[in-house]
Amino acid sequence: MICNYNDFKNWLNHLDYRPKLLLHACCAPCSSHCILFLKKYMDITIFFSNDNIYPKEEYFNRLNEMNRFVQEIGDDIKVISSDYNPDDYYNSVKGLEHMGEKSIRCYNCYRLRLEKTCKLAKKMNFDYFSTTLSISPYKLEKWINEIGFELEEKYGVSYLYSNFKKDNGYLHSIELSKEYGLYRQDYCGCIFSFEERKKLND
């Protein structure tokens, strides 16, 4: 099991084949660095599954921007999107609504999206599944990887360790957002982060 970023990079550099990766993506800006980094080593399919996003219009704004970015970089990368089911998110955080960023509420949100990704990866015979979530300084990569490896054991699909904020990954994603003119939202996505951001701006 790969448990740190240096081992992860070393493993990538010694791959003798191109694994098929199902990569959960939260949005185009966060995905940009991850895709450009990983596509040198793997055949990537993007899975856009984010039932936490509020409102519905925001969900489709981010999905459309994801599709646009993939088309603009000109690689044969497919984007798969799940149906928008916000009730799945609200059920996963029931009773935790009052908790803030980096709380167990977020842990359950990570798990919801990673589990949907893992199940699809198993169904479609991908070699690995992973997520772009770890690029954000507001997300806890320790929890993300903990959940990923638990799901690997549960479903029998290999999880790809991720900590994409390393090597200035987050800063690179900001630069790529400017380069490609990507819509960059100012809140995580859920109604709770939306309201928290609104209070700060008032």
Side-chain angles (χ1 to χ4, degrees), residues 60-186:
F60 287 102
N61 283 342
R62 297 191 192 191
L63 174 57
N64 291 338
E65 199 71 340
M66 185 76 254
N67 281 312
R68 182 175 75 82
F69 175 70
V70 167
Q71 289 172 1
E72 287 204 16
I73 62 176
D75 285 290
D76 188 22
I77 297 175
K78 184 178 180 182
V79 177
I80 299 172
S81 60
S82 64
D83 292 332
Y84 178 55
N85 294 306
D87 285 346
D88 287 355
Y89 170 68
Y90 292 121
N91 288 334
S92 74
V93 299
K94 191 173 183 179
L96 306 171
E97 296 89 346
H98 64 288
M99 305 188 93
E101 190 83 25
K102 298 185 179 179
S103 70
I104 192 67
R105 187 188 75 202
C106 296
Y107 181 96
N108 286 11
C109 182
Y110 303 161
R111 187 174 189 91
L112 172 68
R113 291 183 278 175
L114 274 166
E115 189 155 20
K116 288 193 175 190
T117 307
C118 181
K119 286 180 177 179
L120 184 61
K122 183 177 181 68
K123 181 179 179 181
M124 297 183 70
N125 296 313
F126 281 87
D127 299 308
Y128 290 89
F129 75 100
S130 194
T131 179
T132 65
L133 287 170
S134 69
I135 197 170
S136 170
Y138 302 104
K139 303 292 185 290
L140 297 174
E141 69 277 355
K142 180 181 178 181
W143 281 356
I144 292 166
N145 288 307
E146 174 186 299
I147 293 165
F149 287 120
E150 285 179 4
L151 294 172
E152 174 184 301
E153 187 172 342
K154 181 177 180 179
Y155 292 101
V157 184
S158 295
Y159 171 72
L160 183 70
Y161 169 92
S162 71
N163 190 0
F164 295 116
K165 63 174 67 68
K166 289 285 192 178
D167 288 342
N168 292 317
Y170 179 67
L171 293 176
H172 187 219
S173 74
I174 294 174
E175 293 170 0
L176 288 167
S177 294
K178 293 176 181 176
E179 180 181 346
Y180 287 92
L182 297 176
Y183 160 64
R184 194 175 187 92
Q185 63 286 341
D186 65 353

